[in-house]
Amino acid sequence: MLHYLTHGTDTTKPPLMIVHGLFGSARNWNVIAKRMSETRTVIAPDMRNHGNSFHADSHSYTDMAADLSELIDALGGTVDLVGHSMGGKAAMVLALSNPSQVARLLVADIAPVAYTHSQQQFIDAMRAVNLSQVTRRADAVAQLAQHVEDKTLQSFFTQSLDVKNQRWHYNLDALERDMAKILSFPEIKGTYEGLTLFLSGANSDYVLPEHRDKIRTHFSNAKFAKIQDAGHWLHAEQPRAFEASLRAFLDYKV
């Protein structure tokens, strides 16, 4: 089963599960998860081939949705679900295949469509790091800087570096092999009728007006909102605004 972090204690509200994106981990969401845990239990899993969860040869959305379903069953059977990017696609597949497990769904800056922006360059950059020369995180950051200009991404990737054992927590081989699957969205039938919010960064182009027909085909109760001055990493760029939007969504009376 997936490794996960737990914040808060049980209340009468469903647990909130937060699912990270590609190259992320449960730890990336600690600040938001702890703040949201004031009123309910918050669960943040490490997805397969990430963090402290198991490595597997396959990294499809069917696999990832099944992993989440198994965890939700173990936690009691129903959650309010938040997923960002890759995690958002996995959350959508879960909601469509096992709708009874998802009370409400927030999809952060992703649509149920195929994209063309491969992340292969970041896998290449991490592979280029000579881990035998890494004795502290700053050593890896310095090496990554030769291939990745964005300082935020340098820091983000090295959060998933096991410095002591000189290894990445990522299963880079599996992620590279299934990159086409990660960028795509599976052909899946069904409709999720629960309340759904597609929350996007106003500066992002991941969720476009032309995606809305496809979204509404699968998510009949979809709402849309944007966070100003935020791009694809909206929860990291505008954490308080993201938190406020999430609280408003969870408290919204149907």
Side-chain angles (χ1 to χ4, degrees):
M1 194 165 68
L2 296 175
H3 174 270
Y4 63 94
L5 301 178
T6 304
H7 305 270
T9 57
D10 288 338
T11 68
T12 56
K13 297 179 179 179
L16 173 65
M17 179 174 285
I18 302 176
V19 187
H20 68 77
L22 181 64
F23 303 131
S25 70
R27 290 177 55 227
N28 300 151
W29 288 85
N30 272 354
V31 173
I32 289 175
K34 287 177 181 177
R35 290 179 61 84
M36 294 300 301
S37 70
E38 296 167 0
T39 58
R40 66 176 74 209
T41 302
V42 179
I43 307 296
D46 286 327
M47 299 297 276
R48 63 169 53 205
N49 298 316
H50 290 72
N52 291 312
S53 281
F54 59 87
H55 285 189
D57 290 336
S58 176
H59 200 80
S60 73
Y61 286 112
T62 302
D63 295 327
M64 287 183 269
D67 295 340
L68 293 174
S69 179
E70 178 186 34
L71 178 56
I72 292 169
D73 271 343
L75 294 170
T78 304
V79 298
D80 288 330
L81 189 59
V82 176
H84 172 249
S85 200
M86 178 194 78
K89 284 188 171 182
M92 285 188 277
V93 172
L94 172 64
L96 292 171
S97 55
N98 292 284
S100 64
Q101 292 187 311
V102 183
R104 295 186 179 200
L105 174 65
L106 189 151
V107 181
D109 211 67
I110 204 73
V113 300
Y115 293 88
T116 58
H117 49 269
S118 175
Q119 307 297 308
Q120 181 63 43
Q121 71 272 25
F122 299 128
I123 292 177
D124 294 340
M126 283 183 268
R127 282 206 173 114
V129 174
N130 185 344
L131 294 174
S132 67
Q133 296 180 1
V134 173
T135 58
R136 52 184 186 147
R137 204 168 303 278
D139 297 332
V141 170
Q143 291 190 51
L144 272 177
Q146 300 175 34
H147 307 279
V148 179
E149 293 183 8
D150 190 323
K151 294 184 182 298
T152 301
L153 289 179
Q154 295 166 17
S155 175
F156 176 68
F157 295 145
T158 54
Q159 286 183 43
S160 290
L161 178 64
D162 181 347
V163 175
K164 180 180 178 181
N165 294 301
Q166 297 183 320
R167 68 182 185 92
W168 294 101
H169 285 297
Y170 308 120
N171 182 352
L172 295 176
D173 290 342
L175 297 178
E176 178 177 39
R177 186 167 51 247
D178 278 355
M179 184 58 68
K181 293 179 181 178
I182 295 169
L183 295 175
S184 68
F185 190 79
E187 289 296 326
I188 184 169
K189 295 181 180 180
T191 300
Y192 175 70
E193 298 179 353
L195 187 63
T196 307
L197 176 63
F198 284 80
L199 182 63
S200 307
N203 300 334
S204 172
D205 61 358
Y206 275 64
V207 182
L208 300 173
E210 53 263 37
H211 295 154
R212 291 196 176 192
D213 285 346
K214 178 70 179 293
I215 289 170
R216 290 194 173 103
T217 297
H218 288 302
F219 301 94
S220 58
N221 200 5
K223 314 294 183 185
F224 300 87
K226 292 182 182 293
I227 293 180
Q228 296 302 310
D229 300 315
H232 183 59
W233 302 93
L234 64 175
H235 61 290
E237 296 169 35
Q238 299 290 342
R240 290 302 178 91
F242 184 92
E243 178 193 337
S245 297
L246 176 55
R247 288 185 188 277
F249 172 67
L250 294 174
D251 292 341
Y252 181 78
K253 303 298 183 184
V254 178

